[in-house]
């Protein structure tokens, strides 16, 4: 502390002392009391005469104060009094001693001359005589909020060659320099840091770097801030101290117990490696020593909806393959091992160390790959795909656009990446050759017009071929679609003409069908109009069929009756024949018929011709007379017999029931108009010989 500080401390005491002296000097000494003093008498004023130099009374307190300010600090300094303020620390330097400081040490621990390890706390300290000690008062070290302080030790053991920072010593945050030095503290930059707060540190032993003096020490104040990570970020650590990384590795393994690199000594003791670390630092605020670890902040790995993330790890414990014997195109390992993880990352944000791991996004939704330059998908996998240039069987070249739809299952994604390395490699090295080669081979088997006409068949064949080919690569081919086909213009005109002709043919066919339908409509309309007649005719047909059936049944009944009657007569005749004989029974029946009138022996009209010429006229007259008599007389009357002169006899009879018997040389009169006369005249010739008939009768008749 300087003299001005002493003056500021003793000023209140000096002011109080001077005030007291002044007050005492201004009070006049008391005089004896007088009773009834005489009234004052006027006196003549005379100029005072100078009797000598007098000292004012205020000089005495002023002088006292001067002595206090000048001589009291000198008296304390002379007596070895040291006063340390509340926010100060006393750095002691011993000017001489009987002990000499070792050559490898800077700070005295056992009373040697030089800078002392122990400091003076706030208060009065005696015995530090100025001729032997020099005490320097330093302000306490203050580390602001959300900052850290770095320490450089000026004394201590030498840091080993395989390390760059001094080990951590429990020395009350460097406030106990003696303990630091006696417990093996190492000189140089320290692993340990001090956090927010106030510290009484021996600045002769430890040099403290804060944001206030960072520029003076060649550092940026931002390096002394708390390291803060955003919620959607991770910190990739690069440790600057520790043992070297093992050969063949690119990052240090995960070391437990160091609290995200805040406990540097625990990391070192646990075998931590310097360099890139596999472990990441998650979001939050961390007290990190920038001399020990440097952190790069990166965003978390995001796996969008509709994708999975296949992790390719370059660090890990082992390479044990868990894909099975059937999969021989790569290795799949468990999570945390080196290689392609068999379990993918599902949609979300993941704290992945992108320095030691790679995440390959694989779409799990249907992906459309466009073999065209007109447009491409948002995924960008088809940015290098163009329309296929094909050669047909007839030697024409044409462009063909193809749209291939594929799907990769969630559990198949690691297999695809292990085999191909990336989705883009799958498209460029597998899908494009398969699709292009198939369509080139297929186009050479057909003419271009056949290819255009049989487009659907070619598409179905292509879909089946690509589906079968991609199945071997753990990829599902959903469909293969043929897009725009660009043949030569002259062939397109030919196809257009053919199509127009086909459409015209369809039009004609439609018109023919329309006419047929119109005809059918007219026929149906006509049928509807004559439906009553149709029904009547149909019913008439049914009635006629029923009448015919009835007639048939009636005829059958009559025939059966006649047959039975005939059979009965035949039986009766047979009995008569058996009883009388054939001739006798026949004669008997004939006579019976004649007697019953069933057989007429005499005709109704007889015309006898005796050679004259009026036989025909006479016959006609007789027929007319017979008809007249038939109308006026009773039915069944016998017709008159007219004798004519002709030699031949002509019989004219009624056609109702008039049999003609025994007529010789009868000429029939026929009328071309079938008159009733012609119908009623019957001319017949009989050969019945009565004598012969009776001659055949048996003798017993």
């Amino acid at each position: 502390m300087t003299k001005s500080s002493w003056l500021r401390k003793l000023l209140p005491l000096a002011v109080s002392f001077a005030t007291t002296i002044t007050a005492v000097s201004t009070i006049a000494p008391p005089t004896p009391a007088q009773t009834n003093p005489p009234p004052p008498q006027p006196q003549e004023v005379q100029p005072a005469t100078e009797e000598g130099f007098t000292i004012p009374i205020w000089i005495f307190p002023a002088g006292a104060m001067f002595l206090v300010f000048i001589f009291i600090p000198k008296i304390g300094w002379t007596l070895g009094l040291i006063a340390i303020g509340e926010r100060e620390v006393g750095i002691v330097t011993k000017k001489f001693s009987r002990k000499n400081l070792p050559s490898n040490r800077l700070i005295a621990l056992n009373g040697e001359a030089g800078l002392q390890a122990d400091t003076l706390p706030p208060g009065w300290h005696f015995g530090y005589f100025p001729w032997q000690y020099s005490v320097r008062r330093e302000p306490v070290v203050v580390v602001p909020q959300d900052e850290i302080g770095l320490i450089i030790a000026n004394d201590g053991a030498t840091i080993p060659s395989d390390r760059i920072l001094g080990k951590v010593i429990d020395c009350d945050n460097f406030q106990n320099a003696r303990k630091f030095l006696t417990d093996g503290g190492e000189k140089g930059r320290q692993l340990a840091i001090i956090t927010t707060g106030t510290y009484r540190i021996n600045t002769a032993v430890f040099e403290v770097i804060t944001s206030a003096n960072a520029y003076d020490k060649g550092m940026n104040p931002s390096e002394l801030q708390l390291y803060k990570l955003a919620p959607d970020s991770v910190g990739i650590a690069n440790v600057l101290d520790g043992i070297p990384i093992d050969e063949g590795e690119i990052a240090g393994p995960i070391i437990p117990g160091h609290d995200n690199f805040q406990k540097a000594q625990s990391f070192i003791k646990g075998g931590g490696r310097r360099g890139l670390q596999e472990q990441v630092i998650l979001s939050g605020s961390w007290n990190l020593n920038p001399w020990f670890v440097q952190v790069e902040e990166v965003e978390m790995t995001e796996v969008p909806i509709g994708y999975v993330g296949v992790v390719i790890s370059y660090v890990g414990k082992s390479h044990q393959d868990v894909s099975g014997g059937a999969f021989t195109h790569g290795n799949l390992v468990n999570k945390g091992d080196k290689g392609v993880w068999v379990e993918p990352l599902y949609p979300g944000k993941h704290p992945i160390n992108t320095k030691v791991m790679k995440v390959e996004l694989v779409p799990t939704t249907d992906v459309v790959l466009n073999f065209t330059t007109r447009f491409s998908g948002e995924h960008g996998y088809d940015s290098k795909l163009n329309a296929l240039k094909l050669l047909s069987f007839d030697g024409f070249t044409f462009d063909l656009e193809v749209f291939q739809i594929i799907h990769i299952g969630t559990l198949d994604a690691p297999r695809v990446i292990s085999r191909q390395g990336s989705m883009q490699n799958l498209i460029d090295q597998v899908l494009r050759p398969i699709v292009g080669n198939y369509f080139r081979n297929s186009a050479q088997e057909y003419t271009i017009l056949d290819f255009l006409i049989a487009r659907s068949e070619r598409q179905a064949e292509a879909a089946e071929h690509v589906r079968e080919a991609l199945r071997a690569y753990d990829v599902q081919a959903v469909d293969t679609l043929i897009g725009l086909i660009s043949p030569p213009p002259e062939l397109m005109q030919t196809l257009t003409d053919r199509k127009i002709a086909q459409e015209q043919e369809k039009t004609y066919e439609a018109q023919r069908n329309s006419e047929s339908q119109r005809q059918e409509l007219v026929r149906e309309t006509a049928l509807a109009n004559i439906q009553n007649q149709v029904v009547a005719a149909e019913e008439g047909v049914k009635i006629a069929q029923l009448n015919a059936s009835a007639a048939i049944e009636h005829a059958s009944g009559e025939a059966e009756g006649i047959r039975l009657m005939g059979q009965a007569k035949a039986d009766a005749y047979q009995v008569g024949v058996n009883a009388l004989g054939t001739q006798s029974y026949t004669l008997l029946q004939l006579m019976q018929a004649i007697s019953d009138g069933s057989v007429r022996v005499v005709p109704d009209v007889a015309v006898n011709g005796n050679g004259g010429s009026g036989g025909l006229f006479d016959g006609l007259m007789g027929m007319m007379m017979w008809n007249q008599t038939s109308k006026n007389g009773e039915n069944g009357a016998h017709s008159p017999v007219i004798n004519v002169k002709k030699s031949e006899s002509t019989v004219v009879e009624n056609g109702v029931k008039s049999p003609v018997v025994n007529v010789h040389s009868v000429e029939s009169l026929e009328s071309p108009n079938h008159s009733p006369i012609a119908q009623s005249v019957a001319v017949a010739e009989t050969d019945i010989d009565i004598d012969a008939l009776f001659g055949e009768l048996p003798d017993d008749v």
Side-chain angles (χ1 to χ4, degrees):
M1 185 179 292
T2 61
K3 293 183 179 180
S4 60
S5 299
W6 275 99
L7 293 177
R8 287 194 302 270
K9 291 183 178 181
L10 295 178
L11 182 59
L13 179 61
V15 171
S16 299
F17 182 73
T19 304
T20 303
I21 294 174
T22 304
V24 172
S25 62
T26 56
I27 300 175
T31 57
Q34 297 180 357
T35 61
N36 297 325
Q41 298 293 327
Q43 298 179 358
E44 185 178 356
V45 178
Q46 297 180 355
T49 59
E50 198 176 80
E51 296 181 352
F53 177 76
T54 59
I55 299 175
I57 195 171
W58 58 270
I59 292 297
F60 297 101
M65 292 178 60
F66 180 78
L67 293 176
V68 168
F69 283 109
I70 296 301
F71 293 103
I72 288 181
K74 295 296 183 179
I75 295 173
W77 174 76
T78 305
L79 298 176
L81 175 63
I82 300 297
I84 305 299
E86 292 81 2
R87 299 185 62 83
E88 295 177 334
V89 61
I91 308 299
V92 180
T93 302
K94 195 173 185 180
K95 297 180 179 179
F96 62 90
S97 175
R98 292 179 299 175
K99 299 179 181 179
N100 294 325
L101 192 65
S103 59
N104 61 341
R105 303 303 296 268
L106 180 64
I107 305 300
L109 295 174
N110 300 316
E112 299 92 346
L115 292 171
Q116 302 297 304
D118 300 324
T119 59
L120 300 180
W124 287 21
H125 304 274
F126 294 93
Y128 292 90
F129 303 105
W131 57 87
Q132 187 178 11
Y133 295 97
S134 173
V135 178
R136 185 175 74 252
R137 298 172 179 84
E138 295 288 344
V140 295
V141 176
V142 177
V143 179
Q145 185 68 30
D146 294 337
E147 294 184 7
I148 61 172
L150 302 179
I151 306 297
I152 300 176
N154 295 324
D155 198 2
T158 302
I159 298 176
S161 58
D162 58 344
R163 298 255 313 284
I164 61 174
L165 298 177
K167 63 182 179 180
V168 178
I169 301 296
D170 185 10
C171 56
D172 191 16
N173 289 314
F174 302 99
Q175 295 181 107
N176 192 341
R178 177 176 292 276
K179 189 173 184 180
F180 175 84
L181 295 175
T182 55
D183 288 353
E186 298 170 343
K187 66 178 66 177
R189 294 186 298 178
Q190 301 295 304
L191 281 173
I193 60 174
I194 56 176
T195 57
T196 300
T198 302
Y199 303 89
R200 300 183 183 277
I201 296 177
N202 189 339
T203 56
V205 181
F206 304 107
E207 184 178 355
V208 182
I209 302 176
T210 63
S211 59
N213 61 351
Y215 286 119
D216 298 336
K217 304 300 181 181
M219 298 187 66
N220 194 317
S222 61
E223 297 178 303
L224 301 174
Q225 302 288 331
L226 289 182
Y227 197 88
K228 297 180 180 180
L229 284 174
D232 57 347
S233 301
V234 294
I236 300 176
N238 183 22
V239 175
L240 304 178
D241 200 359
I243 60 178
I245 295 177
D246 294 337
E247 184 178 358
E249 300 292 338
I250 64 172
I254 297 177
I255 303 298
H258 55 80
D259 191 15
N260 287 304
F261 304 98
Q262 293 184 112
K263 299 178 180 179
Q265 190 63 39
S266 299
F267 179 85
I268 297 297
K269 287 184 178 181
R273 268 67 169 173
R274 69 180 66 183
L276 183 63
Q277 299 298 308
E278 180 180 349
Q279 182 179 351
V280 296
I281 303 175
L282 302 180
S283 61
S285 298
W286 311 99
N287 292 311
L288 301 179
N289 188 340
W291 292 337
F292 171 69
V293 59
Q294 294 179 348
V295 180
E296 178 183 355
E297 183 175 355
V298 297
E299 294 183 355
M300 285 189 178
T301 300
E302 181 178 3
V303 180
I305 298 295
Y307 288 80
V308 293
V310 179
V311 179
I312 305 173
S313 178
Y314 305 118
V315 296
K317 300 178 182 178
S318 64
H319 300 270
Q320 184 178 1
D321 184 18
V322 296
S323 61
F327 185 72
T328 59
H329 305 285
N331 294 335
L332 297 177
V333 299
N334 291 320
K335 184 177 181 180
D337 290 348
K338 183 182 296 185
V340 180
W341 289 1
V342 69
E343 180 181 352
L345 301 179
Y346 293 94
K349 291 187 176 182
H350 303 271
I352 299 297
N353 189 338
T354 56
K355 296 292 186 180
V356 299
M357 297 178 186
K358 179 182 179 182
V359 178
E360 192 70 30
L361 295 179
V362 178
T364 55
T365 57
D366 291 347
V367 178
V368 181
L369 302 170
N370 307 298
F371 285 77
T372 177
T373 56
R374 293 190 295 126
F375 51 85
S376 62
E378 294 182 358
H379 46 70
Y381 296 137
D382 53 2
S383 59
K384 300 180 181 179
L385 300 181
N386 300 319
L388 301 177
K389 292 187 177 297
L390 307 180
L391 178 64
S392 64
F393 178 77
D394 48 0
F396 290 99
T397 59
F398 62 97
D399 293 339
L400 175 66
E401 291 182 350
V402 179
F403 306 101
Q404 180 64 50
I405 306 175
I406 64 172
H407 174 77
I408 300 176
T410 300
L411 299 181
D412 293 332
R415 295 175 177 267
V416 172
I417 298 303
S418 178
R419 183 170 187 164
Q420 302 299 328
S422 66
M423 275 295 297
Q424 194 62 52
N425 290 343
L426 174 68
I427 304 303
D428 296 340
Q429 301 175 9
V430 175
L431 182 64
R432 180 167 60 181
I434 289 177
V435 175
N437 184 67
Y438 171 78
F439 279 104
R440 290 185 182 93
N441 294 338
S442 177
Q444 292 181 358
E445 297 177 358
Y446 302 93
T447 64
I448 186 170
L449 290 180
D450 292 339
F451 194 91
L452 291 174
I453 295 173
R455 170 184 178 139
S456 59
E457 289 80 0
R458 303 291 80 74
Q459 178 174 293
E461 293 173 359
E464 183 62 27
H465 175 81
V466 175
R467 184 179 298 110
E468 187 66 24
L470 291 183
R471 189 176 301 164
Y473 295 89
D474 299 301
V475 178
Q476 303 174 23
V478 179
D479 203 356
T480 303
L481 306 176
I482 294 178
L484 180 64
I485 303 177
S486 302
E490 57 273 16
L491 290 179
M492 284 300 298
Q493 184 63 38
T494 301
L495 185 61
T496 301
D497 296 341
R498 180 183 298 180
K499 188 64 178 179
I500 292 175
Q502 292 176 354
E503 293 299 326
Q504 290 177 348
E505 182 180 354
K506 292 180 181 179
T507 302
Y508 299 152
E509 181 67 20
Q511 292 176 352
R512 187 181 67 82
N513 294 335
S514 177
E515 291 296 326
S516 299
Q517 292 179 359
R518 190 182 63 82
Q519 295 175 4
E520 184 68 19
L521 177 61
V522 172
R523 189 179 70 82
E524 294 294 333
T525 303
L527 289 177
N529 293 333
I530 64 172
Q531 188 66 29
N532 294 333
Q533 300 178 12
V534 172
V535 173
E538 290 178 353
E539 296 298 326
V541 170
K542 293 182 180 180
I543 292 172
Q545 291 177 352
L546 293 175
N547 291 334
S549 299
I552 292 173
E553 292 295 330
H554 180 72
S556 298
E558 288 183 351
E560 184 65 22
I562 293 172
R563 188 185 65 79
L564 293 176
M565 291 177 64
Q567 183 66 36
K569 289 182 178 181
D571 293 342
Y573 292 162
Q574 186 65 39
V575 172
V577 170
N578 293 335
L580 299 178
T582 303
Q583 295 181 356
S584 298
Y585 185 76
T586 302
L587 181 60
L588 179 62
Q589 290 297 318
L590 179 60
M591 296 302 293
Q592 182 67 34
I594 294 173
S595 64
D596 293 338
S598 300
V599 177
R600 293 184 181 186
V601 179
V602 180
D604 292 334
V605 176
V607 178
N608 296 321
N610 295 319
S613 60
L616 179 60
F617 179 77
D618 293 338
L620 293 175
M621 292 300 293
M623 187 66 181
M624 294 175 61
M625 292 177 64
W626 182 84
N627 289 335
Q628 188 67 31
T629 57
S630 298
K631 294 179 181 179
N632 298 327
E634 296 178 356
N635 292 332
H638 297 283
S639 301
V641 178
I642 302 175
N643 294 321
V644 296
K645 295 179 179 181
K646 295 181 73 169
S647 59
E648 295 178 356
S649 61
T650 302
V651 180
V652 180
E653 58 182 352
N654 190 2
V656 179
K657 291 181 182 181
S658 301
V660 178
V661 181
N662 202 16
V663 177
H664 301 277
S665 302
V666 179
E667 293 180 2
S668 60
L669 299 178
E670 297 181 359
S671 174
N673 297 326
H674 303 284
S675 64
I677 297 177
Q679 294 178 358
S680 63
V681 177
V683 179
E685 183 178 0
T686 182
D687 295 331
I688 300 175
D689 190 355
I690 298 298
D691 296 335
L693 179 64
F694 283 97
E696 293 177 359
L697 292 175
D699 296 335
D700 54 355
V701 176

